Amino acid sequence: MLGFAPLQGFLGLDMSLNASISIRGKIRDLQQGQVPIHEEGLEALVEEGLTRANLSFHLTLSETLLDAEFIFLCVPTPQSEDGRADLSYVLQAACNVASFMRGGETLVVKSTVPLGAARLIIEAINRPDVDYVSNPEFLREGTALWDFFNPERLVVGSSNSKAAEAVADLYGRVGVPTIVTSTSSAELIKYASNSFLALKLSFVNEMASICEEADADIRDVAKGMGLDSRIGDKFLRPGPGWGGSCFPKDTKALVAISESVGAPSLIVRAAIESNTLVFDRIVERFSSQLGGLTGKRIAVWGIAFKANTDDTRESPALAVVSRIISAGGTVYAYDPVAKVPSEYPEVFQTSTAYDAVVDADGLIVLTEWPEFHLLSAKDALPLMKARNVFDVRGILNATWETQSDLILVGR
Ligand code: UDX
């Protein structure tokens, strides 16, 4: 049995009454098979687990941990003010769980925790009769189930290699490369992977800017680079900068880790700065195309930080939207799934993509939803006041390029 400790961990924290009620509500929804996030296939999987009775959700730790041999902690590690990962949720959840352990269990931490967290957690729980395994996850939002069932690697770090192997065995890992290592190496693998991917994207976004100035085509440049197997063709799609709940937080945390051990990472810091410049540059390009943004009505397609998710945390689309608003524009946004967060009350959310473009002075495409590829230039353009389209994700189909009076940039 896998103990579902994470949500329990939240309940044990010093939280507001409202937050606690909302978590109780979520648990009750999950007990009914209702999943509070948009993730392909998840609802069906939860339903299947509930029907087979090999998945259950509880409001008390004693029920959750009953007979558990392995207890997975998956609580968030948000970024604190100095860029470091905030370990308070993990520590609190680990201590709550420890007080219910019988002895002999394995505590598995899936949360992305900074270097040295294992030692802090082990000291905090003070349970020498319990094994500790660091087991970072590499799931991408939107394809999380696919990634879970088709892992490219498993990473398990522990001072007890038998406990680490036992955790890897839970995944039925036939043929999956497995790294059994120390807790510090396991902790760093996650940060190093995410930061490397982020800097690959910062690099390709810089190349996209160079291409625009040099009259070169980033699509051909990226394709040419990607065919070199040492570079690889993945993570070479330019866009409005990288975002989400992991890259921004993990890159900053790695910079903080690197500084704390006296080996500062200049490259990761540069990738973060380069990413902010992408947001600025996109809005400058768009603004110069429209002759300024003051008083302009702007259609935005895409609010989520990437396609196939309703997550808007650290969304590059919102970074761009807030700059458009600061420059005096009015935003009408459409997203197939994501909701504009309440911190953006000035943004009008429309229920169709075409509604967003009515009377627009310009359209900017910020998330690579596959359905945007199906949208027709012939239907959208006559609704607009001016035919300025900035396809930052390169997702619109080729028919847009054939529209004679359209100014199409960014691809
Ligand atoms: C990431 C890691 O990929 C995953 O292994 C880890 O577990 C969590 O963090 P996720 O945040 O879900 O996953 O998103 P990911 O698909 O990696 O995309 C991150 C950002 O990069 C998004 O803003 C996305 O739009 C952008 N991106 C990705 C590009 O701009 N171009 C690309 O070619 C790929």
Side-chain angles (χ1 to χ4, degrees):
M1 173 184 169
L2 303 182
F4 272 83
L7 290 159
Q8 286 296 326
F10 272 109
L11 282 179
L13 295 173
D14 178 22
M15 301 189 76
S16 71
L17 185 62
N18 282 347
S20 162
I21 289 169
S22 120
I23 287 159
R24 281 172 195 282
K26 280 184 187 159
I27 298 266
R28 295 217 170 88
D29 286 348
L30 286 163
Q31 286 169 335
Q32 307 299 318
Q34 285 160 20
V35 174
I37 54 166
H38 177 85
E39 185 66 52
E40 198 182 333
L42 189 55
E43 199 141 285
L45 192 70
V46 167
E47 191 67 56
E48 186 186 323
L50 292 171
T51 308
R52 290 189 180 180
N54 59 6
L55 173 65
S56 56
F57 300 95
H58 304 280
L59 281 162
T60 65
L61 267 181
S62 51
E63 282 175 288
T64 310
L65 300 182
L66 190 72
D67 295 333
E69 293 168 56
F70 297 90
I71 297 158
F72 282 70
L73 288 192
C74 320
V75 294
T77 45
Q79 191 187 309
S80 59
E81 274 174 17
D82 62 0
R84 289 165 202 269
D86 176 357
L87 268 184
S88 58
Y89 295 89
V90 177
L91 284 169
Q92 181 74 69
C95 290
N96 288 352
V97 164
S99 63
F100 284 88
M101 284 171 161
R102 306 172 310 275
E105 296 94 332
T106 301
L107 182 64
V108 188
V109 172
K110 285 208 84 66
S111 305
T112 304
V113 289
L115 197 61
R119 188 179 44 76
L120 290 177
I121 297 169
I122 291 166
E123 271 171 23
I125 65 174
N126 191 21
R127 288 293 300 256
D129 55 341
V130 165
D131 283 313
Y132 179 96
V133 175
S134 170
N135 173 216
E137 56 88 10
F138 301 99
L139 311 182
R140 292 163 298 170
E141 291 181 32
T143 51
L145 262 58
W146 164 264
D147 292 343
F148 184 82
F149 289 114
N150 303 277
E152 290 189 344
R153 83 289 215 190
L154 285 171
V155 175
V156 275
S158 181
S159 56
N160 178 351
S161 60
K162 277 202 184 125
E165 294 276 2
V167 170
D169 284 343
L170 292 175
Y171 291 88
R173 55 177 163 135
V174 182
V176 181
T178 304
I179 312 281
V180 179
T181 183
S182 63
T183 50
S184 337
S185 302
E187 286 160 0
L188 263 183
I189 286 169
K190 176 70 185 275
Y191 285 112
S193 302
N194 278 353
S195 298
F196 190 80
L197 291 169
L199 70 91
K200 191 174 180 186
L201 289 176
S202 284
F203 183 85
V204 82
N205 284 329
E206 287 187 1
M207 289 304 115
S209 300
I210 294 172
C211 284
E212 267 179 33
E213 301 303 331
D215 201 20
D217 188 334
I218 184 60
R219 290 173 293 183
D220 290 342
V221 172
K223 197 169 177 188
M225 286 170 65
L227 286 170
D228 183 330
S229 61
R230 291 169 303 175
I231 298 174
D233 62 357
K234 300 204 173 76
F235 265 69
L236 280 184
R237 274 180 290 113
W242 38 266
S245 63
C246 291
F247 285 6
K249 165 175 87 69
D250 292 354
T251 45
K252 287 192 190 104
L254 185 55
V255 167
I257 291 169
S258 72
E259 285 167 359
S260 72
V261 297
S265 169
L266 304 183
I267 293 178
V268 179
R269 184 179 281 285
I272 297 168
E273 283 170 20
S274 168
N275 199 42
T276 307
L277 292 181
V278 176
F279 308 145
D280 297 339
R281 188 179 152 79
I282 284 170
V283 178
E284 276 161 26
R285 291 271 287 116
F286 194 46
S287 174
S288 80
Q289 186 186 327
L290 270 67
L293 292 169
T294 310
K296 299 283 165 60
R297 181 166 169 154
I298 307 303
V300 168
W301 284 354
I303 285 295
F305 85 94
K306 65 171 186 177
N308 303 315
T309 176
D310 58 352
D311 197 346
T312 56
R313 283 175 293 173
E314 299 276 345
S315 173
L318 290 173
V320 169
V321 162
S322 62
R323 284 165 172 76
I324 292 174
I325 292 169
S326 303
T330 306
V331 172
Y332 286 75
Y334 168 73
D335 190 287
V337 178
K339 298 270 169 293
V340 176
S342 54
E343 302 92 280
Y344 297 82
E346 326 76 337
V347 176
F348 297 94
Q349 180 147 21
T350 64
S351 48
T352 73
Y354 295 126
D355 286 347
V357 300
V358 173
D359 289 335
D361 295 285
L363 161 66
I364 185 163
V365 185
L366 293 171
T367 309
E368 74 284 28
W369 281 99
E371 73 168 67
F372 293 163
H373 192 70
L374 306 174
L375 294 172
S376 150
K378 287 200 183 71
D379 290 336
L381 294 175
L383 301 172
M384 296 177 69
K385 196 194 293 170
R387 298 182 166 213
N388 297 300
V389 175
F390 198 166
D391 183 11
V392 181
R393 292 282 191 171
I395 184 75
L396 300 180
N397 65 40
T399 63
W400 290 73
E401 282 166 7
T402 61
Q403 305 298 307
S404 55
D405 54 346
L406 168 71
I407 303 174
L408 183 65
V409 293
R411 57 202 318 244

